[in-house]
Amino acid sequence: MEESSRRKSSRKGDKDPFCVLHKLPSGDTPYVRAKHAQLVEKDPEVAIVLFWKAINAGDKVDSALKDMAVVMKQLDRTEEAIEAIKSFRSLCSKHAQESLDNVLIDLYKKCGRIDEQIDLLKQKLRLIYQGEAFNGKPTKTARSHGKKFQVSIKQETSRILGNLGWAYMQKSNYMAAEVVYKKAQMIDPDANKACNLALCLIKQARNSEARSILNEVLQGNIPGFEDCKAQNRAQELMLEVEPRWLPPSTKMKIARFDLEDDLIDGLEKLLNEWAPSKTKRLPIFEEISSYRNQVAC
């Protein structure tokens, strides 16, 4: 009786207090029932079935596909979620494609499909420097834990570069990871990415440079230094650059650089626009051509 009354109230256009309390959409559609199963009943399997019904019925397809993929990820049905997005994203609006890409990146990361993650991150960077991200606007509204907040194009670029650097590290391509982490730090520096950059340098036996970056973190000169995790990680990495912790000298395997010229040039243009006083080209870019020649030989 209470449920029937609630649905009747929502059909009249009134704000259902129950839906407001639980941050649920109002009504009696497949998508609304799916959200109720997901958030109130805490039954993800039923929620997935209802999300499928919503997609097939054309009911809030943008949200239904994204939400269903997130629930599938929680149930370790990652591969199924990837195929669902790939198969049905054509039914979604242009506005929803960016959010679907973000979900796909997380899914690729979880199931270890690193090459596909890298390709999609590069694609997102290209959209940014071509002016097509955020529908051409400097900021967008994002949502986390039910709260809305503004994200600038600079913050988004730094976030994507950080994810790209992490992906390259999983491929042991530390030179490419170093390049993108340095770019990320120039745009929106933080202590966590600084530690990752230091690790890239350590893996290339460039301990002196790594020590300098870690000192900056430990001395509180990089935003986010107050995070205990960043402090602890910097201290742990500092141990690795001490001579007594160095492994025996071995010949370092050179990985394929794997950063296209247009991507590098596009990021350079962004940096020139955002920070004209810091447009000096990083030394690492001057070494790329010779590095590629060595790999080709």
Side-chain angles (χ1 to χ4, degrees):
M1 184 70 177
E2 180 183 352
E3 182 70 20
S4 175
S5 175
R6 183 184 306 131
R7 291 173 182 172
K8 184 183 293 186
S9 174
S10 65
R11 282 196 293 268
K12 291 179 180 178
D14 298 334
K15 277 288 185 180
D16 186 343
F18 179 87
C19 294
V20 172
L21 176 64
H22 293 276
K23 297 181 179 178
L24 293 170
S26 57
D28 189 26
T29 65
Y31 178 72
V32 171
R33 295 198 297 273
K35 294 300 290 183
H36 191 277
Q38 176 194 2
L39 300 176
V40 179
E41 298 171 7
K42 307 293 184 183
D43 191 336
E45 296 288 357
V46 171
I48 289 173
V49 172
L50 291 169
F51 280 131
W52 273 125
K53 289 185 177 180
I55 293 168
N56 291 327
D59 177 26
K60 293 188 178 294
V61 179
D62 291 1
S63 298
L65 181 57
K66 184 181 73 171
D67 291 347
M68 183 179 71
V70 170
V71 174
M72 286 179 170
K73 177 186 173 186
Q74 294 168 350
L75 296 178
D76 290 325
R77 293 165 61 177
T78 310
E79 297 286 351
E80 186 180 351
I82 291 172
E83 292 309 311
I85 291 178
K86 286 185 173 182
S87 299
F88 292 93
R89 68 182 306 166
S90 61
L91 301 178
C92 299
S93 66
K94 182 179 179 181
H95 179 73
Q97 299 304 317
E98 188 175 338
S99 294
L100 291 173
D101 282 342
N102 289 334
V103 175
L104 263 182
I105 288 170
D106 285 340
L107 293 169
Y108 286 146
K109 180 178 179 179
K110 181 168 184 179
C111 65
R113 291 166 64 166
I114 305 301
D115 288 332
E116 289 164 285
Q117 181 189 3
I118 288 173
D119 288 343
L120 190 48
L121 288 166
K122 287 180 180 179
Q123 178 182 316
K124 290 179 73 67
L125 286 172
R126 288 190 175 94
L127 290 176
I128 288 175
Y129 72 69
Q130 290 169 0
E132 297 178 22
F134 291 13
N135 294 317
K137 298 177 181 178
T139 62
K140 73 171 182 178
T141 301
R143 185 188 297 271
S144 178
H145 303 293
K147 295 182 179 180
K148 293 183 179 180
F149 57 95
Q150 291 295 307
V151 176
S152 71
I153 199 74
K154 290 184 182 181
Q155 292 171 322
E156 180 71 356
T157 304
S158 181
R159 184 188 71 82
I160 294 172
L161 286 169
N163 288 338
L164 182 59
W166 181 93
Y168 278 130
M169 289 178 71
Q170 308 316 299
K171 301 280 291 182
S172 298
N173 192 342
Y174 298 110
M175 184 177 183
E178 174 197 348
V179 170
V180 295
Y181 273 129
K182 281 184 174 178
K183 289 295 184 186
Q185 289 298 84
M186 291 173 69
I187 296 170
D188 188 26
D190 73 63
N192 182 56
K193 288 197 288 286
C195 289
N196 287 341
L197 173 57
L199 180 57
C200 292
L201 296 169
I202 292 171
K203 293 294 186 180
Q204 297 176 74
R206 292 158 61 188
N207 289 1
S208 177
E209 296 172 67
R211 186 183 297 111
S212 176
I213 292 172
L214 294 170
N215 278 328
E216 289 292 304
V217 175
L218 294 172
Q219 292 170 10
N221 296 330
I222 298 179
F225 71 90
E226 65 279 357
D227 184 355
C228 292
K229 290 182 179 179
Q231 287 279 328
N232 292 338
R233 187 158 181 242
Q235 291 171 358
E236 291 171 1
L237 290 172
M238 189 64 86
L239 292 176
E240 295 190 33
V241 302
E242 295 299 323
R244 64 180 179 277
W245 290 97
L246 286 178
S249 177
T250 57
K251 185 174 181 180
M252 187 176 67
K253 180 180 178 181
I254 298 179
R256 184 168 64 93
F257 184 70
D258 199 30
L259 276 175
E260 296 84 352
D261 289 337
D262 73 303
L263 193 60
I264 295 170
D265 292 341
L267 291 172
E268 286 287 306
K269 290 178 182 177
L270 283 180
L271 287 170
N272 290 342
E273 293 174 8
W274 291 339
S277 61
K278 298 181 180 180
T279 55
K280 185 177 179 181
R281 193 173 178 84
L282 285 172
I284 189 69
F285 285 97
E286 306 302 336
E287 300 169 4
I288 287 174
S289 296
S290 61
Y291 175 85
R292 284 175 174 155
N293 292 334
Q294 292 174 18
V295 174
C297 293

